Amino acid sequence: MAAVLLATICAVVYGMADFFGGLATRRSRVLAVVLVSQIAGLLFVLPLLPLLPGAPSLGGLAWGMGAGLCGGLALIFFYRALAGGVMSVVAPTTATMSVALPVLVGLTMGERPEPLALGGVALALGAVILVGRDSTTAGARMAFGPVVQALAAGAGFGAFFVLLKQVPEGTGMWPLFGARLASVTLVGALALLTGRTLRPGRGSLPTIVTAGVLDMAANVLYLLAAQRGLLVVVAVLVSLYPASTLVLARWVLKERLNAVQASGIGLALGAIALIAATAA
């Protein structure tokens, strides 16, 4: 039950981070948003290192750094896809790919959830697609580039989940420190090579910092959930993050939640209930 609860809260926090990250990209360049948010996340995790049990290890830091490189690239691809594509296509494409890879890896590694939990996984996969649907852009076409970027972002997020699952026990939050250090270095190097500005747009810094802190908080929750549950189940629950983004957009930006998206959120709640029932 602990893994289900942690993964569900993680999905909510990830969705909140994406909401604030999306707002930030309206005022700042993608690399600036990614780098500043990653630095904010790094500063957030530093005080947690001595507070949470665990000691640094070469293996834990290595898995974390690998995850950070994948996650950093995924964020860049994701924001670029959003900037050049249709949200109703980018969101479900990224989320579906991000859950497909961990599920495949988990099953390959021999994970076998109970039948009821598998039913919840199936419902969650359907929910991921429905919550990303926007009836106002039904049938909208998108250029090939953003589709590829969305797929690449999903693969990167999925790899992030898989690699963090491999972290040895007893390493605490040190793998996340390694992950964030790697992603900050990667994005900073890309900015230098491409000559892109890393200065946030006017008034966007608080929003970017909020996105970075929420993203790291979600990473902490995911790592704790992955240490306590099956990758197949945890990754699927975490992939429901677009639902909380939609709810925030409805409350804060007054965007309408169409019937398809509402049914997707209902399906997500049903999936969580089914998976939780098997863990009770």
Side-chain angles (χ1 to χ4, degrees):
M1 178 62 77
V4 174
L5 180 60
L6 288 168
T8 302
I9 299 174
C10 174
V12 173
V13 179
Y14 267 137
M16 295 170 63
D18 278 357
F19 174 78
F20 283 99
L23 290 180
T25 55
R26 298 180 179 182
R27 298 181 179 180
S28 302
R29 292 186 177 273
V30 169
L31 287 182
V33 173
V34 175
L35 181 64
V36 175
S37 66
Q38 298 291 283
I39 292 175
L42 179 62
L43 295 177
F44 174 79
V45 80
L46 284 176
L48 298 180
L49 296 176
L51 296 179
L52 296 176
S57 71
L58 183 59
L61 289 173
W63 285 114
M65 293 181 73
L69 292 174
C70 292
L73 286 173
L75 272 179
I76 295 172
F77 282 124
F78 183 60
Y79 285 140
R80 288 195 181 281
L82 287 177
V86 181
M87 179 65 180
S88 62
V89 178
V90 171
T93 300
T94 301
T96 303
M97 177 61 76
S98 70
V99 70
L101 182 61
V103 168
L104 180 61
V105 171
L107 293 175
T108 302
M109 292 171 61
E111 293 186 354
R112 295 295 181 267
E114 297 181 20
L116 195 60
L118 281 176
V121 169
L123 282 181
L125 291 173
V128 168
I129 296 174
L130 291 179
V131 296
R133 289 289 298 167
D134 184 353
S135 59
T136 61
T137 57
R141 289 192 168 186
M142 189 166 65
F144 181 70
V147 172
V148 174
Q149 290 169 346
L151 289 171
F157 288 136
F160 177 85
F161 295 147
V162 171
L163 292 173
L164 277 189
K165 175 64 176 176
Q166 314 309 313
V167 168
E169 294 184 7
T171 55
M173 295 296 109
W174 285 97
L176 292 181
F177 170 78
R180 194 54 87 234
L181 187 63
S183 62
V184 167
T185 303
L186 171 68
V187 178
L190 287 175
L192 288 176
L193 289 174
T194 58
R196 301 294 177 86
T197 179
L198 294 176
R199 179 179 297 177
R202 180 174 298 179
S204 65
L205 184 59
T207 305
I208 299 175
V209 170
T210 301
V213 170
L214 288 171
D215 180 65
M216 177 53 76
N219 289 342
V220 171
L221 290 167
Y222 172 77
L223 183 58
L224 294 174
Q227 291 172 345
R228 291 163 173 77
L230 298 177
L231 177 63
V232 171
V233 174
V234 171
V236 167
L237 289 175
V238 170
S239 72
L240 296 173
Y241 65 86
S244 62
T245 306
L246 288 177
V247 173
L248 272 176
R250 174 70 181 88
W251 286 350
V252 178
L253 302 179
K254 307 303 179 184
E255 293 183 0
R256 290 194 174 187
L257 197 66
N258 63 50
V260 175
Q261 292 170 325
S263 65
I265 293 176
L267 205 62
L269 294 175
I272 294 170
L274 277 179
I275 295 173
T278 65

